[in-house]
Amino acid sequence: MLFGSKFRGVMLCTVAALASAHAVAGEMETVVVDKVIEGYGGQKFENLKSILIESDLRFGWIGQGHTPDFVELEPMRKIHQFDLVNQRASEEAWGNQGAYSEHVFFDEAGQTEVNFIESTYEINADAGYYDHFGGEIRTIDTMIARELLKQRDTAIYVRDEYYRGDLHHVLEFDMLETTVDPTLWIHAETGHISLMKREVPDYMTYSYAFEDFRQTGGITYAVDFVLYAGRDVIEYTKSRSIKPNRVKSSLFTVGRGISPAPESWDTSEMTVEGVTSDLYQVGQGGSFSAFFDAGDYLIGLGGYGGLRDRYDAYVEANGEKPLRYLILTHHHSDHIQGAADALELGATLVMPETARYNVNTAVGSEVPAEKLMIVVDEKTTIDGVDIHMISTPHVQNYALLYIPSSKAVFQEDLYNNNIKTRAARVTKTSLSLKTDVDRLGLDVAHILGAHSRKVETWADFAAQAERPVLGRCPSKRPICS
């Protein structure tokens, strides 16, 4: 009873303190923002011209793991360099699958992407600073503090509350020219950002947690960072370091020996293209499906979102036929979104067992038994389409689709290419496609994919597979050291 009385006394004092804080809320925005500026370096922080940030990360996405059981966090190293005066930035990244690029932003040109493996560059005139770097800025507390400094007039003090045992000021502000603005938990004593949350409507809450604050050159940064999507960890730092005012203007130029990237197919408009008389590739942007004409009806290959639009485009070009089946290759969330459209069209869903849970989630209910076919054998044939169950570096259980009459394979995420004149570089994942096709003894002339308008010839792909990129970092680049 005595403990209860003391506890109530502490709670009453806390409530009184919070009420007092609310009473001066109109003044608190200035107080809190000034505290953040001081906590991140004061005048040095305000005068910061550029910052170089090196991060050793573990990174993953919900619904994108090798299996559907949990989020797998794979190694990813990144070097970010921000020119804060001119609002431009560069990123170099290296992952265990050999994902490597440098992104450079020119104010007058848009986004320039330099690929040092292929010694090429390409420019996206429609991209802006926040298109690529908005997501990265949100994972770095020092950069969040810079955005708060720029947008301090939009700050709204919400309340004081305890977080991890310490008193924090809770603040909202407009950030990154996006529609989802964050809420910050700012340590009342140090001014450091301990937590940021973003509530994405009708989806989930993203929580960005920062800890172990240090200084380099008078500028504060958090070494430890964890990103939660809902309750799942999808990214965290193994290590992080910064170098203030070290970014050179030469970074934002294309160096010697770097040539324009080869011309790619235009994917801005919906296209319906015949591969053979009974097989069509349909889609736009980075979203494509194949439709196989089985006689009286169609079989859809690949469940990427927007399936209804692609089916309607096929019907407009070739005449109406019902969609009898939609075959899904794997459980990843982006490749099952078309399942709902397929069910509305009356189709039966065909999929690996590992895709069932995610499909039910995407559809919003359990798929009726009469509209569901689970592939359990190593090979299953459905009216002219062979389904081969394989294991790939991308996912453990994968349905590789082969159409013997067209000598074509349809796949998702194993190989993508829109370059007109040649095949794309072959990575570890792409090489597994060739290995399995050869092992199965399939007679393949064409490769179709969910992210490519181009139908690749097997001969060009096989030639490129003779010199694959298997994860060796280019030794002369800083990202490799």
Side-chain angles (χ1 to χ4, degrees), residues 21 24-40 45 145 148-149 152 155-161 167-173 183-194:
V24 294
E27 305 169 6
M28 283 297 289
E29 288 84 1
T30 298
V31 171
V32 175
V33 175
D34 285 347
K35 188 169 291 187
V36 172
I37 293 170
E38 187 62 30
Y40 278 87
F45 179 69
L148 177 59
L149 174 61
R152 65 177 301 158
I156 300 174
Y157 168 76
V158 180
R159 63 186 178 274
D160 276 4
E161 71 176 33
L167 186 65
H168 283 71
H169 305 306
V170 182
L171 196 74
E172 297 174 350
F173 79 104
T183 303
L184 305 180
W185 277 253
I186 297 163
H187 196 283
E189 182 179 344
T190 65
H192 299 157
I193 299 169
S194 300

Side-chain angles (χ1 to χ4, degrees), residues 271-273 275 280-283 288-290 410 448-449 452-453 455:
T271 54
V272 179
E273 297 175 296
V275 181
Y280 287 79
Q281 177 85 327
V282 183
F288 288 82
S289 294
F410 179 87
L448 287 71
S452 304
R453 173 185 173 182
V455 177

Side-chain angles (χ1 to χ4, degrees), residues 324-325 343 346-349 367-373:
R324 176 71 59 86
Y325 298 101
L343 290 173
T348 294
L349 302 180
V367 177
E370 67 273 15
K371 289 296 182 180
L372 177 63
M373 181 183 298

Side-chain angles (χ1 to χ4, degrees), residues 104-365:
V104 181
F105 284 84
F106 296 92
D107 292 338
E108 70 277 9
Q111 173 184 312
T112 299
E113 181 175 342
V114 182
N115 187 316
F116 286 102
I117 290 178
E118 297 185 348
S119 297
T120 61
Y121 74 91
E122 55 185 323
I123 297 176
N124 180 359
D126 296 327
Y129 177 76
Y130 288 113
D131 291 327
H132 179 79
F133 287 97
E136 302 294 345
I137 288 170
R138 287 191 288 265
T139 68
I140 303 165
D141 64 308
T142 312
M143 294 301 298
I144 297 171
R146 286 289 302 189
E147 293 298 317
L148 177 59
L149 174 61
K150 291 195 304 183
Q151 294 287 96
R152 65 177 301 158
D153 290 343
T154 70
I156 300 174
Y157 168 76
V158 180
R159 63 186 178 274
D160 276 4
E161 71 176 33
Y162 283 87
Y163 172 71
R164 291 186 173 176
D166 291 334
L167 186 65
H168 283 71
H169 305 306
V170 182
L171 196 74
E172 297 174 350
F173 79 104
D174 296 343
M175 184 183 184
L176 302 180
E177 302 177 358
T178 65
T179 57
V180 182
D181 294 321
T183 303
L184 305 180
W185 277 253
I186 297 163
H187 196 283
E189 182 179 344
T190 65
H192 299 157
I193 299 169
S194 300
L195 178 68
M196 180 175 79
K197 287 189 177 184
R198 298 172 64 244
E199 307 275 353
V200 180
D202 302 321
Y203 189 53
M204 69 174 61
T205 299
Y206 288 94
S207 303
Y208 306 71
F210 302 97
E211 204 167 12
D212 190 7
F213 295 90
R214 304 181 188 180
Q215 277 200 347
T216 298
I219 303 300
T220 299
Y221 67 102
V223 173
D224 292 336
F225 160 70
V226 183
L227 172 57
Y228 300 85
R231 296 183 178 182
D232 293 297
V233 174
I234 62 171
E235 184 176 346
Y236 69 91
T237 53
K238 290 271 289 184
S239 65
R240 174 167 280 170
S241 62
I242 71 167
K243 295 177 182 177
N245 299 321
R246 294 284 294 274
V247 177
K248 300 178 180 179
S249 59
S250 59
L251 178 70
F252 302 98
T253 59
V254 176
R256 292 182 178 180
I258 308 296
S259 304
E263 184 181 3
S264 294
W265 287 103
D266 181 6
T267 62
S268 60
E269 302 291 336
M270 181 74 73
T271 54
V272 179
E273 297 175 296
V275 181
T276 58
S277 60
D278 54 5
L279 182 65
Y280 287 79
Q281 177 85 327
V282 183
Q284 71 181 114
S287 306
F288 288 82
S289 294
F291 291 97
F292 175 69
D293 187 341
D296 294 331
Y297 55 85
L298 302 175
I299 299 176
L301 312 181
Y304 209 83
L307 178 75
R308 182 59 187 255
D309 292 337
R310 296 191 291 277
Y311 171 77
D312 289 344
Y314 174 90
V315 168
E316 184 178 351
N318 296 294
E320 186 165 2
K321 286 190 177 183
L323 183 67
R324 176 71 59 86
Y325 298 101
L326 176 68
I327 308 177
L328 309 177
T329 62
H330 63 296
H331 67 271
H332 282 176
S333 55
D334 53 332
H335 289 282
I336 60 175
Q337 296 301 319
D341 286 348
L343 290 173
E344 289 180 2
L345 289 166
T348 294
L349 302 180
V350 184
M351 69 184 80
E353 172 64 39
T354 48
R356 189 202 295 251
Y357 177 82
N358 286 356
V359 169
N360 287 339
T361 301
V363 170
S365 62

